[in-house]
């Protein structure tokens, strides 16, 4: 998105400590770090669409190190096979049996780098992992490690030889956002930090995975008032009737927006969701779930503008500032 929205105040002490630890590596991107952690807390995944070299890989590596989580990077290329992602069974001549060799997706945190450079068949290998938290190979379903988080990246500039993600796969990502270029002062700080040694090399864990798993359970208990649920539905439903939209957001978008709202409320030490949480998160949750009409594509209309129009038009429910 072009214009940065106002950042929220993180009041959950452990989450704030985690964010500050990641900021030792990633300069000036608190909002993006926060959104990534919201996705992890709510069991979702993130699609980053940005130019090379702005810190996408460093951010996800820093998050993994801060959590002490297993991390794998998959470089998506045109010749990558589904088994290169999920794993493959190999015949062991000593035991005369097939043995499963896990693919890189079977870890805690995965960086799916340049996901739009591989074939739709290989892209689809991620679908089950993103939605079900499992992979099926040779007819056997294997559960993935928990927590499980995928951050996928794609370059919005170079489209030659790429395969745009289908709507079904885009819908599996909780958020889609950009990191963007740093300011001049932030870029100077980056140079100062990496002059002698990259800070990622000395970054230490500040949270155990068991603590994160416990937090994910606590997020599910955050209260969502009926009025707030109706507000979510009204926003999502309005995308389906906008004059510039060919295909609006699905019910999965409503679920995603509610779960993201729960995680957002949690990091602010609230046990209930308010409409402002939904307003803040809606652009990141809905922009990639909307298909523009043919006329809209020919104009300068964007999905970001449509989401803004919808938020401006949908009435905020009364009496939903606190749980009742």
């Amino acid at each position: 998105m072009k214009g940065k929205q106002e950042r929220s105040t993180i009041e959950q002490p452990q989450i704030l400590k985690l964010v500050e630890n990641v900021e030792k590596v990633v300069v000036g991107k608190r909002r993006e770090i926060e959104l990534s952690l919201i996705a992890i807390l709510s069991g979702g995944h993130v699609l980053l669409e940005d130019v090379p070299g702005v810190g996408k890989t460093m951010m996800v590596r820093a998050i993994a190190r801060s959590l002490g989580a297993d991390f794998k990077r998959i470089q998506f290329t045109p010749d990558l096979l589904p088994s290169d992602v999920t794993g493959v069974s190999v015949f062991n001549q000593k035991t005369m049996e097939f043995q499963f060799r896990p693919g890189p997706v079977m870890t805690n945190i995965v960086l799916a780098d340049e996901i739009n450079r591989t074939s739709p068949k290989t892209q689809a290998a991620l679908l089950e992992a993103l939605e079900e938290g499992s992979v099926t190979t040779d007819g056997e379903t294997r559960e993935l490690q928990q927590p499980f988080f995928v951050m996928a990246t794609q370059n919005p500039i170079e489209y030659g030889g790429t395969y745009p993600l289908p709507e079904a796969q885009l819908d599996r990502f909780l958020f889609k956002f950009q990191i963007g270029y740093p300011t001049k002062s932030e870029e100077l700080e980056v140079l100062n930090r990496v002059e002698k040694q990259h800070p990622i090399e000395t970054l230490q864990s500040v949270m155990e995975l068991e603590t994160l798993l416990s937090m994910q359970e606590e997020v599910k208990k955050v209260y969502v008032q009926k009025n707030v649920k109706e507000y979510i539905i009204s926003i999502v439903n309005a995308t389906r009737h906008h004059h510039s939209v060919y295909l609006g957001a699905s019910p999965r978008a409503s679920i995603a927006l509610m779960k993201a709202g729960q995680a957002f409320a949690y990091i602010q030490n609230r046990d209930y969701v308010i409409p402002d949480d939904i307003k803040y998160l809606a652009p990141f949750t809905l922009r990639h779930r909307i298909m523009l009409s043919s006329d809209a594509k020919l104009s300068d209309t964007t999905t970001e503008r449509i989401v803004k129009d919808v938020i401006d038009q949908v009435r905020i429910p009364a009496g939903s500032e606190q749980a009742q």
Side-chain angles (χ1 to χ4, degrees), residues 15 25 33 119 130 161 165 172 191 195 227 247 250 255 285 311 314:
I15 297 297
V25 175
I33 297 169
S119 68
L130 290 172
L165 293 178
R172 261 67 174 186
L191 296 184
E195 185 174 3
N227 283 355
L247 184 66
S250 70
I255 297 171
T285 312
I311 293 173
V314 175

Side-chain angles (χ1 to χ4, degrees), residues 223-267:
Y223 179 68
V224 187
Q225 194 175 353
K226 181 182 177 182
N227 283 355
V228 176
K229 291 178 181 177
E230 291 175 345
Y231 181 54
I232 292 171
I233 293 170
S234 295
I235 290 175
V236 173
N237 188 60
T239 67
R240 302 167 190 164
H241 298 93
H242 194 282
H243 61 87
S244 297
V245 172
Y246 171 71
L247 184 66
S250 70
R252 185 184 281 119
S254 300
I255 297 171
L257 194 48
M258 182 184 71
K259 289 185 176 295
Q262 288 176 296
F264 189 54
Y266 178 79
I267 70 172

Side-chain angles (χ1 to χ4, degrees), residues 78-91:
D79 60 348
L80 196 73
L81 300 174
S83 58
D84 295 329
V85 176
T86 60
V88 65
S89 293
V90 179
F91 186 71

Side-chain angles (χ1 to χ4, degrees), residues 22-303:
V22 176
E23 286 183 319
K24 293 178 182 178
V25 175
V26 183
V27 179
K29 303 299 177 184
R30 173 165 289 205
R31 184 192 69 172
E32 289 73 21
I33 297 169
E34 175 188 295
L35 288 169
S36 300
L37 295 178
I38 289 171
I40 293 174
L41 286 169
S42 59
H45 309 282
V46 169
L47 177 62
L48 286 179
E49 186 176 69
D50 220 327
V51 296
V54 293
K56 300 185 294 292
T57 301
M58 281 299 109
M59 184 169 73
V60 68
R61 284 185 62 193
I63 291 173
R65 286 212 174 197
S66 298
L67 292 171
D70 292 333
F71 169 76
K72 295 286 176 60
R73 177 179 179 272
I74 307 174
Q75 181 63 53
F76 282 82
T77 56
D79 60 348
L80 196 73
L81 300 174
S83 58
D84 295 329
V85 176
T86 60
V88 65
S89 293
V90 179
F91 186 71
N92 187 325
Q93 292 184 339
K94 291 183 179 180
T95 62
M96 301 300 289
E97 294 179 345
F98 282 95
Q99 294 182 339
F100 179 69
R101 291 185 179 177
V105 77
M106 302 190 77
T107 188
N108 293 128
I109 295 182
V110 179
L111 172 63
D113 207 7
E114 295 188 301
I115 190 174
N116 59 329
R117 292 202 175 278
T118 197
S119 68
K121 185 176 182 179
T122 304
Q123 290 174 4
L126 272 180
L127 280 178
E128 183 184 359
L130 290 172
E131 186 69 15
E132 307 295 338
S134 61
V135 295
T136 300
T137 57
D138 300 326
E140 182 178 348
T141 300
R142 297 174 173 85
E143 297 296 321
L144 298 175
Q145 298 181 43
Q146 294 299 323
F148 175 67
F149 171 66
V150 174
M151 181 173 285
T153 72
Q154 60 181 13
N155 186 343
I157 305 301
E158 298 177 6
Y159 287 107
T162 63
Y163 304 85
L165 293 178
E167 286 67 33
Q169 189 158 336
L170 286 172
D171 207 23
R172 261 67 174 186
F173 289 98
L174 181 72
F175 294 144
K176 178 183 177 183
F177 57 85
Q178 298 174 336
I179 290 182
Y181 287 118
T183 64
K184 187 176 180 180
S185 60
E186 290 169 350
E187 196 161 359
L188 178 60
E189 178 62 22
V190 170
L191 296 184
N192 290 335
R193 291 188 186 187
V194 303
E195 185 174 3
K196 296 181 180 179
Q197 184 183 27
H198 202 293
I200 192 69
E201 302 301 329
T202 57
L203 197 68
Q204 300 296 316
S205 170
V206 295
M207 183 185 294
E208 295 182 352
L209 287 182
E210 290 74 15
T211 301
L212 176 61
L213 289 170
S214 177
M215 286 182 168
Q216 287 180 329
E217 292 303 312
E218 291 174 8
V219 165
K220 296 175 183 178
K221 299 175 183 177
V222 173
Y223 179 68
V224 187
Q225 194 175 353
K226 181 182 177 182
N227 283 355
V228 176
K229 291 178 181 177
E230 291 175 345
Y231 181 54
I232 292 171
I233 293 170
S234 295
I235 290 175
V236 173
N237 188 60
T239 67
R240 302 167 190 164
H241 298 93
H242 194 282
H243 61 87
S244 297
V245 172
Y246 171 71
L247 184 66
S250 70
R252 185 184 281 119
S254 300
I255 297 171
L257 194 48
M258 182 184 71
K259 289 185 176 295
Q262 288 176 296
F264 189 54
Y266 178 79
I267 70 172
Q268 296 179 83
N269 260 353
R270 272 190 283 107
D271 59 0
Y272 57 92
V273 179
I274 61 175
D276 280 348
D277 299 336
I278 305 305
K279 286 180 64 176
Y280 175 73
L281 296 169
F284 310 110
T285 312
L286 301 180
R287 63 185 294 239
H288 58 294
R289 304 174 191 267
I290 297 172
M291 289 182 62
L292 296 175
S293 66
S294 300
D295 291 341
K297 289 179 181 178
L298 296 175
S299 65
D300 60 352
T301 302
T302 62
T303 55

